[in-house]
Amino acid sequence: MSTTVEAERPAEATESTWRTLRRGLALSPELKTGLAGTLGLALVYMIGRVAVPVAVQRGIDHGIVGGLDVDVVALTVVAAAAVLVVTTTCGYLMMRRLFTVSETALAGVRTRAFRHVHDLSMLHQQSERRGSLVSRVTSDVDQITQFLQWGGVILIVNLGQLVVTTAVMLAYSWQLTLVVLCAFAPAVLVIRLLQRRLGVAYGLVRQRMGTLLGTIGESVVGAPVIRAYGIAGRTARRLDTAIEGQRQAQQRAIRISIMGSSVGELAAGLALAGVVVVGVNLGVDRTLSIGQLTAFLFLVTLFIQPVQIATEVLNEAQNAIAGWRRVLDVLDVAPDVADPGRQGRDLPPGPLDIRFAGVTFAYPGGPPVLHDVTLDIPAKSRVAVVGETGSGKTTFAKLLTRLMDPTDGEVLLSGVSLRQVRFDSLRSRVVMVPQDGFLFDATVGENVRFARPELTDAQLTAAFSELGLADWLDGLPAGLDTPVGERGEALSVGERQLVALARAYVADPDLLVLDEATSAVDPATEVRLSRTLDAVTRGRTTLAIAHRLSTAQAADEVIVVDRGRVVQRGPHDELVKDPDSVYALLYASWLEQTR
Amino acid sequence: MRLTAGESVASGTSRDVLGRGLRVLGRAIREQPRIFAIAVAGSVLFGLMVIASAYVVGGVVGKVVVPAIARGSVATGTLALAAAALFGISVLRVVGIFGRRLGAGYMQYRLQAAYRRRVTRRYLDLPLAWHHRNATGTLLSNANSDVEAAWYPIAPLPFAVGTLVMLVGAVISLFLTDWALALVGLAVFPALFALNVVYSRRMAPRQARAQRLRAEVSGIAHESFDGALVVKTMGREAQETARFAARAGELRDALISVGKLRGVFDPMLETLPSLGTLAVLVVGAIRLRQGAITVTELVSVAFLFTVLAFPVRAIGWVLAELPRSVAGWDRVRRVLDATGEMPYGEVTLDPATPAPATLAFHDVHFGYEPAEAHLPGTEVLGEVTFTVPAGKTVALVGPTGAGKSTIASLAVRLVDPRTGTVTLDGVDVRDLTAASLAGNVALVAQIPFVFDDTVRANITLDRPGIGDDEVWAALRLAEADGFVAALPDGLDTMVGERGTSLSGGQRQRLTLARALAGRPRLLVLDDATSAVDPRVEAAILAGLRAPADRPSFGPERRPTAQRPNHGHSAAASILVVAYRRATIALADEVIYVEHGRVVARGTHPELLATVPGYADLVTAYEQAEQEREQPRPYDQVTPLTSGLEVEVDR
């Protein structure tokens, strides 16, 4: 969190508020729907604010001081009340339009950003911290909507109030208007200064809040460690430091904020005093009536509020703009692995063969992970890819499922380049089971049904039986209806992998890619699973990234990867014959662990 | 994410919520009486100055402006006095603002901090079983947003109290001025008050609903992005977007309904006092004609109506926040009132005892309480009896889900058995002091956990007697010295939140070193070496078994005189959860568990010969290899999802 705050600072400074607004409006043109009408309504609404001072002036000048005339006063009051009814209605209509349009537009932006994050390549999803992607579609958008609901309206209303008030004051007396402006000018300067300090202070509050959340998180997630090492005291001290640090930052911020409103208050006092002194002198010279002077005293109070609220609202506005900018920035990232869509092709029906043609892959700014790999894997064969950690073997799986595109060269399935294949076709025919078999917070059945919602419980049960997992399923408290908990945490790591495997299996792919998909299950279960998988995937192509060499032993062919190159390929029995080969060494180490 | 704010608003009647909300506020005042008094004093001063400003403005117009303009000459002294009075009132108002806002803010932040401390203390005190029953996200928001929500109404509370005083003062001053104008006030002020109450009553459930939907939208985004790989590889982006869009749409509708309500009430709240001022003008003109009041009084009252409008909103703010406050408070209360602490005993194991400890399980049963009431509680372990003799290494072997990790947790007393006992050197672990327990046993968990702190702090955890020499020795033994030495700041390198700057294997070795640095007399390894090379694992286990010849744990240690027991203190009994044959081979005895029961125990060769389940498990790979050399048992194609059961356990 603390790093995000620092990292975002320079980026935020690079773009002006107006540019962000323009970009935002370009992206959500619906925000401009009826904007002129809404602003017109807002202006009429503002006129209501000066209705009372004007009525006071007219009432005093024409009905009270210069000869008492109750009828004139009553007429003035009725007219003002009628104006108020109209402006109040306009206020309602203005807010109604504003909220409907802005919330609809922002919900659209939110959903679009959500989809866009899913469309980004895996590379980008990893490099951007996941939590910050979540906040793009949650807290950042919330910040904008919350601002519009509170601060935005206040800002529009107060700006309007300032304008209308100034206009009326000018109409009455330019001299007194000058007095009021002079009284407020230093306050505005001081408030601008304070506002900058307040921005920094709020930044510190957010940063300390991040630290606090992190520390609380540690005390919750690390509970077993804290218990086992008897370090509750140490943890409590860390928590206290974080809690206290955050409190002090909050207190600092509120002190600055209070100074802002105090300055506004003093300016108002100064303005009132100035208006009386100068106004009386003007009155004596007959350039100002009593009613006008009285109305001025009312108008000055209308002037304080916007100035006082300005510090807070402008800060909120800046946060909202920054949030908007972050959302726009995500939307601006072009998905580097894009669906060809309508122009794309479908994969030919039937089993798929694989061809890597001169494939090189490097992560951005990194050295190549795969070097010029050319490889043909016939349809219906079962292939294992093995190699040390960091050899580049998982890159095969990611390229084959088009989670990433090669830096150079091409991957083809049954002769069609992956870049040309429509995602619909690709995702329904090629399925990968990743090592971390992520489960959604739902039941076992709902998780398995993820890609094929139409499957019945009976079909799911049958699928588990086909995988030899009927006993395991029966052993669950509620069978298919057993909830798996947040991220599947109600199940053991091994069990989660079983569900993920079943999920891929019912998706019925023609090419199944297993990326260390059973690394956490016990050896007996793993061997059993790989045997049943062999049986049920006959006639389909499978490629398994293997951590345990038992998988390699059972495969038709083993591909050995070392430092980004394919160094050996062939059946297990052939490969072990060369005692100095990479594979023979891997196998020897495997035997050492398991025998 | 479970958020009950909306539900509790819906279920409890609003009067009920009001009563409970006021009681929560009462508690806050009892806890911070002095600062509350300062804030209210400031607020009352502010309110009185608002009334005063109206009368001063009226006085200035009636007694200074009108005569001066009528006479055509300026009385400089009176004018200066008027100006000074106007400015002086502003200064006093600023004093009031300082007292009110500073007091309210400090009070709110103090309460937040105090309750965050209390809630997190409970987290540290409550047993792990309680932690298991509560989702991580819930506990995080209990200490964060729930505490915040509970004390949210504190911010406007002093303002509201001061405003009430001000309203009473205003009505009194109105009656002192003129009964007819006072009647206008009596019509307008209660109406304004009622409008605020109705507004906040109608707003609260809408806000709660928006808040709940916001949490749900966030929950979907979290889950969906966490599972991004699955979504992508299965091509479910469109469906996930539809799931998200549906909830985002509900949130949009909720926010629009909040906005529309604002649109109705905000302009009305502004217009009502204006109408009051206009009424004052008419009534005032009539009373003026009757000679009952002066121009001064008329202007004063008109001004009063104008400046009073804004503070009255503060009462509405407090009322609007009450339902949220009550919901937050209820959730905070649940943590503070949670019982079931795992008390520690009084017995201390003689810290001077240098020898490894003996661990024994006697007929231990264990079960987790159901997470939700309708699910059955399950027994995880039953009749577990075994001993880890002093200085011996015992391997715990069993299939996925057999209960091995639970046995490991019981051994270090992270949880207590339902029945039966776990003893350390013959003493029930429940009778040991916390310090004694932590000093004698160490657990290295399956998933390593590191703190957002330096490497050094992660290993020492501020335990006494662990200096840099000990840290390096432990790192060496865990084969972590190499990568730590290569880190930019060595032991002072910050590892980042959850150790994000380290690889999984590095984190595992760091937690291993953490356990070793404490020189435990019993070491429990829960599949903790899976990311460590078997050779390294063997070295670690051997190092702990034979303290006399531990070359890697020697050279830089302090002289014997400073640590009298050091020669033997690193020797430990070991309970190790393992799959690897290489690990099992190092054990003196193997305990084989299935379905939460000890099925067999003995040496590895014994179990291999006599227990088929064990043999299947540890020789699975060899068997697979042998079978592979025979003709394949299934050469026909089995159709997918055909419903045919494949024979696997031949």
Side-chain angles (χ1 to χ4, degrees), chain A residues 497-518:
Chain A
Q497 290 189 334
L498 299 182
V499 178
L501 197 67
R503 174 169 61 193
Y505 172 61
V506 302
D508 194 15
D510 289 299
L511 168 59
L512 184 63
V513 182
L514 304 166
D515 185 5
E516 300 188 10
T518 51

Side-chain angles (χ1 to χ4, degrees), chain B residues 394-485:
Chain B
V394 171
L396 207 50
V397 181
T400 308
K404 303 184 294 291
S405 294
T406 308
I407 292 178
S409 303
L410 283 161
V412 300
R413 208 187 165 215
L414 285 183
V415 290
D416 280 334
R418 255 183 202 165
T419 59
T421 54
V422 178
T423 63
L424 202 64
D425 286 344
V427 181
D428 191 323
V429 290
R430 282 174 290 205
D431 295 334
L432 291 174
T433 62
S436 192
L437 198 60
N440 283 287
V441 299
L443 167 75
V444 186
Q446 203 171 4
I447 298 166
F449 181 87
V450 297
F451 294 92
D452 183 9
D453 209 331
T454 62
V455 171
R456 179 189 293 105
N458 262 294
I459 289 173
T460 66
L461 298 176
D462 295 347
R463 289 172 291 178
I466 304 175
D468 277 8
D469 293 347
E470 285 76 13
V471 169
W472 279 115
L475 285 171
R476 235 187 329 276
L477 191 52
E479 295 234 339
D481 53 334
F483 85 80
V484 171

Side-chain angles (χ1 to χ4, degrees), chain A residues 20-257:
Chain A
T20 305
L21 284 176
R22 272 204 304 277
R23 273 169 72 200
L25 286 175
L27 207 83
S28 314
E30 61 268 42
L31 273 175
K32 283 185 276 192
T33 333
L35 188 65
T38 306
L39 288 179
L41 287 169
L43 204 66
V44 177
Y45 177 41
M46 283 327 105
I47 289 171
R49 296 265 169 125
V50 292
V52 168
V54 172
V56 166
Q57 180 264 322
R58 297 198 69 79
I60 288 181
D61 281 349
H62 302 291
I64 293 174
V65 181
L68 198 63
D69 187 343
V70 176
D71 289 347
V72 171
V73 175
L75 214 64
T76 312
V77 163
V78 168
V83 167
L84 278 177
V85 169
V86 172
T87 58
T88 304
T89 312
C90 287
Y92 165 70
L93 292 175
M94 182 270 287
M95 289 200 192
R96 200 190 153 95
R97 285 170 72 123
L98 182 72
F99 291 136
T100 308
V101 168
S102 65
E103 292 299 342
T104 307
L106 286 170
V109 169
R110 201 196 280 271
T111 306
R112 242 185 300 168
F114 178 89
R115 173 63 200 239
H116 195 80
V117 168
H118 272 305
D119 285 342
L120 291 174
S121 76
M122 200 191 142
L123 216 59
H124 198 85
Q125 288 172 350
Q126 274 177 336
S127 67
E128 275 255 10
R129 300 235 313 279
R130 199 154 290 166
S132 77
L133 284 178
V134 172
S135 61
R136 292 303 162 268
V137 299
T138 56
S139 55
D140 285 338
V141 179
D142 288 342
Q143 209 156 33
I144 311 170
T145 68
Q146 266 166 344
F147 171 72
L148 283 174
Q149 291 261 342
W150 301 101
V153 174
I154 292 177
L155 197 65
I156 293 179
V157 167
N158 283 298
L159 276 179
Q161 184 172 318
L162 222 50
V163 170
V164 175
T165 309
T166 312
V168 175
M169 288 200 302
L170 278 173
Y172 284 156
S173 159
W174 63 266
Q175 297 96 327
L176 279 190
T177 308
L178 203 64
V179 170
V180 172
L181 290 180
C182 284
F184 276 99
V188 169
L189 285 179
V190 173
I191 283 169
R192 271 193 71 89
L193 225 81
L194 284 175
Q195 194 217 326
R196 218 164 293 152
R197 282 183 57 196
L198 195 59
V200 175
Y202 279 137
L204 189 68
V205 170
R206 278 196 297 274
Q207 192 185 326
R208 294 265 171 94
M209 194 67 212
T211 312
L212 176 59
L213 286 178
T215 314
I216 295 175
E218 266 184 3
S219 76
V220 170
V221 183
V225 178
I226 293 164
R227 194 61 43 94
Y229 286 89
I231 51 165
R234 172 185 199 269
T235 314
R237 281 194 299 280
R238 281 165 71 89
L239 281 164
D240 286 354
T241 309
I243 291 170
E244 195 53 27
Q246 202 256 350
R247 183 173 79 94
Q248 302 205 331
Q250 281 179 314
Q251 293 188 345
R252 203 179 113 82
I254 201 175
R255 283 199 299 268
I256 299 173
S257 159

Side-chain angles (χ1 to χ4, degrees), chain B residues 134 197 261 283 383-384 393 458 469 480 489 640:
Chain B
N134 292 282
V197 171
L261 197 70
V283 176
E383 296 169 39
V384 173
T393 299
N458 262 294
D469 293 347
D489 298 318
L640 277 166

